[in-house]
Amino acid sequence: LISYSMEHFCWEWDTEKMKSDTDIGDNIVDIYVAKIDSLPIATKNALIFGSCLGAKFDALVVESVLMKIDLPNYVMGREQLTSALEQGLDEGLVGRQSGSSVYRFAHDKIHSAFYSLISEIAEPDQLHLRIGRVLLQHWETVQPRQDWLTFLTANQLNQGIHLVGHATDRVELAQLNLEAAKTAMSASAYRPASEYLEHGLRLLNDDWGHYDLRLEISILLSRTEFCIGNFQSCQTAIAEVIRNARTAEEKIPVFRVCVDALGAEGKVEECIERGMAFVKQLDVKLPKKYNR
């Protein structure tokens, strides 16, 4: 497909041949997808639950879910699950990371095909919520906290977020989203962090009744929105904190973000004006004229 041309002294590639080979690859994937209906029911169910967790999944997590999710027709012990996944390996539907219990679907189409079968078990959002609740029980017992499990648990629960009605459950999930956001921010993954924080606000229904949690989420959201360049959303989050924070000291983090954001937008005069106003709120007196 790619070769070095001694005539032109550069690398060349055959686009048409690439397209042709890709089409052949897709046809092969379609053949694999067609195998699904003929799979043993245990293998099919194991891979459907695996697909709920993503294109890559840990067999130990699938085992925990199947044992605790309270769906009697789908309970599967470790030995049966291992056998079922081995069948998936033999059929070329999944691969396994060497020396681990982590599996990966062989192709996005194969993952999508199994995921499309979730409705045979339950309504998709409801199933994700039930899986998330099983994972949450496990997440709370794991020390030290594992980042991948934090993200996986939050993602599962967030897919059923509209089904979470009890106030205590909503606050608990908002707290989990805050944890996930902090973890994402520590890896400079500001966009997913922002999404977790937005979920947290949605769960709290813009209510400041849980003041400390609401304040922390809003402050961090102002920072993540700034970091991804969403300056309007950043200023909205800043205004929310300024309007609801109880003390001037609690507003300091968003004061800093506001100045940074205005500076990044090139709004120098407004940046200076807002900065001076913030300093005034802190009862810090500055001279009107400065010596060079």
Side-chain angles (χ1 to χ4, degrees), residues 165-179:
H166 196 282
T168 302
D169 292 338
R170 294 181 71 85
V171 172
E172 183 180 35
L173 182 50
Q175 182 67 54
L176 176 60
N177 273 285
L178 175 59
E179 292 289 336

Side-chain angles (χ1 to χ4, degrees), residues 22-203:
T22 301
D23 291 340
I24 292 172
D26 287 343
N27 289 335
I28 292 173
V29 171
D30 290 338
I31 292 172
Y32 280 102
V33 170
K35 292 182 178 182
I36 293 175
D37 289 335
S38 61
L39 288 173
I41 189 65
T43 299
K44 183 177 177 182
N45 289 340
L47 292 178
I48 290 174
F49 275 93
S51 74
C52 290
L53 304 181
K56 181 174 71 172
F57 62 90
D58 191 320
L60 297 179
V61 175
V62 175
E63 178 191 351
S64 179
V65 168
L66 291 173
M67 293 299 291
K68 298 176 182 178
I69 201 171
D70 194 24
L71 289 171
N73 293 335
Y74 298 93
V75 173
M76 210 180 298
R78 179 168 300 183
E79 186 175 335
Q80 186 181 7
L81 177 61
T82 300
S83 176
L85 292 175
E86 285 295 328
Q87 180 71 34
L89 281 170
D90 292 342
E91 295 291 346
L93 298 170
V94 291
R96 183 174 58 206
Q97 289 185 11
S98 178
S100 78
S101 57
V102 176
Y103 291 74
R104 181 184 291 276
F105 285 97
H107 193 279
D108 288 345
K109 274 191 175 182
I110 296 174
H111 174 227
S112 297
F114 277 104
Y115 188 79
S116 70
L117 301 175
I118 290 177
S119 56
E120 294 183 4
I121 299 173
E123 192 276 325
D125 290 347
Q126 181 66 51
L127 185 59
H128 280 295
L129 184 61
R130 294 178 72 168
I131 291 172
R133 283 173 172 159
V134 170
L135 296 176
L136 185 60
Q137 294 174 3
H138 182 55
W139 180 81
E140 290 174 335
T141 64
V142 174
Q143 296 294 338
R145 293 276 168 78
Q146 298 179 33
D147 293 348
W148 68 269
L149 185 56
T150 301
F151 293 136
L152 180 60
T153 304
N155 292 341
Q156 292 293 315
L157 290 168
N158 286 339
Q159 290 193 68
I161 198 170
H162 60 286
L163 301 172
V164 181
H166 196 282
T168 302
D169 292 338
R170 294 181 71 85
V171 172
E172 183 180 35
L173 182 50
Q175 182 67 54
L176 176 60
N177 273 285
L178 175 59
E179 292 289 336
K182 287 179 177 179
T183 303
M185 290 178 72
S186 69
S188 299
Y190 295 110
R191 192 170 298 279
S194 188
E195 292 172 0
Y196 287 124
L197 295 168
E198 290 283 6
H199 283 308
L201 292 183
R202 179 181 174 189
L203 286 157

